[in-house]
Amino acid sequence: EAGVAQSPRYKIIEKRQSVAFWCNPISGHATLYWYQQILGQGPKLLIQFQNNGVVDDSQLPKDRFSAERLKGVDSTLKIQPAKLEDSAVYLCASSIPGGGTEAFFGQGTRLTVV
Amino acid sequence: AQTVTQSQPEMSVQEAETVTLSCTYDTSESNYYLFWYKQPPSRQMILVIRQEAYKQQNATENRFSVNFQKAAKSFSLKISDSQLGDTAMYFCAFPAHSNSGYALNFGKGTSLLVTP
């Protein structure tokens, strides 16, 4: 079974530039998550999709971050314009719906904003 | 609010020894799940073990086991016969319910170093 795919693995950009991350979840997983993990901290949920609808985006900085999940499969997370404090690892995860189900994670994208 | 607290930022253990990582949480729910995830340097989070709150028996997965104390809201992870490959960040996680779904709420993590 193929895992969660993310790209790119690394990205370095200057502040005020834009960047996009891509995620392809495990086939059949209706729920998709984007997490932000700042160095030395646990992952923080940015947005959660159920199929192609947003379930929770309460912690997404909507003035600069946006995300979409077209056709309920792939997802893209965008930052525009980037700030220094956006430097972090961005993790994508997918699961079948439910509170007790395992979330499967991709390898993440390490973003450095200079 | 549902919070997860890991009070040990770093721990070290010698190969073949046993180590216990602590986690406490806060919730008003009566039935829920708790998870331990491992994040090696490759950054990919991997599920280590899962516990259902309504089950009194502690979960076990090979060398990994939990000590689940529901009344104390404590969920510690025990790693027996530690191996070099166990070196990683370990996160305790609790699925927080919001709107129509669940999303994992993570602690700050414990960095575990297994030494020869």
Side-chain angles (χ1 to χ4, degrees):
Chain A
E1 177 182 80
V4 176
Q6 286 190 249
S7 68
R9 291 231 40 210
Y10 303 91
K11 190 74 176 179
I12 300 174
I13 62 172
E14 294 182 349
K15 59 183 179 182
R16 291 187 291 274
Q17 286 188 324
S18 63
V19 65
F21 313 126
W22 173 82
C23 173
N24 181 241
I26 291 174
S27 178
H29 281 190
T31 306
L32 184 146
Y33 315 83
W34 282 102
Y35 285 88
Q36 179 192 58
Q37 185 176 21
I38 293 173
L39 185 64
Q41 298 183 20
K44 181 186 83 171
L45 180 71
L46 290 176
I47 189 167
Q48 178 185 356
F49 292 94
Q50 184 93 342
N51 297 307
N52 60 351
V54 175
V55 172
D56 184 357
D57 63 356
S58 58
Q59 298 190 85
L60 186 74
K62 298 180 186 63
D63 58 333
R64 300 183 299 105
F65 286 64
S66 64
E68 59 181 6
R69 189 181 185 193
L70 300 175
K71 300 180 182 178
V73 183
D74 291 8
S75 178
T76 302
L77 177 69
K78 296 180 182 178
I79 307 175
Q80 181 179 9
K83 292 185 176 181
L84 297 177
E85 57 260 37
D86 298 331
S87 294
V89 173
Y90 290 85
L91 296 168
C92 179
S94 70
S95 72
I96 59 175
T101 61
E102 178 181 356
F104 292 83
F105 286 79
Q107 289 189 295
T109 298
R110 181 180 296 280
L111 173 67
T112 302
V113 183
V114 298
Chain B
Q2 292 157 328
T3 59
V4 180
T5 302
Q6 293 180 251
S7 58
Q8 304 153 313
E10 297 179 347
M11 293 195 72
S12 180
V13 64
Q14 282 196 318
E15 207 173 0
E17 297 296 308
T18 296
V19 64
T20 299
L21 309 183
S22 301
C23 173
T24 58
Y25 60 94
D26 187 25
T27 182
S28 58
E29 297 184 15
S30 58
N31 192 23
Y32 47 87
Y33 292 81
L34 289 159
F35 300 82
W36 278 98
Y37 276 82
K38 168 185 177 181
Q39 187 178 40
S42 67
R43 301 200 303 260
Q44 188 161 16
M45 300 277 270
I46 302 165
L47 178 66
V48 174
I49 198 163
R50 168 176 39 199
Q51 173 77 42
E52 298 176 74
Y54 73 89
K55 287 189 175 179
Q56 292 187 340
Q57 186 174 7
N58 289 323
T60 299
E61 289 286 343
N62 300 315
R63 299 182 295 106
F64 299 88
S65 61
V66 301
N67 182 5
F68 175 51
Q69 303 288 332
K70 190 174 183 179
K73 294 181 180 175
S74 171
F75 181 58
S76 60
L77 174 69
K78 186 171 82 171
I79 306 174
S80 304
D81 186 25
S82 297
Q83 300 176 0
L84 296 178
D86 295 334
T87 292
M89 285 290 295
Y90 287 81
F91 293 95
C92 179
F94 180 96
H97 184 235
S98 63
N99 294 336
S100 57
Y102 289 88
L104 289 173
N105 186 21
F106 290 88
K108 290 187 175 182
T110 296
S111 178
L112 177 66
L113 176 65
V114 181
T115 58

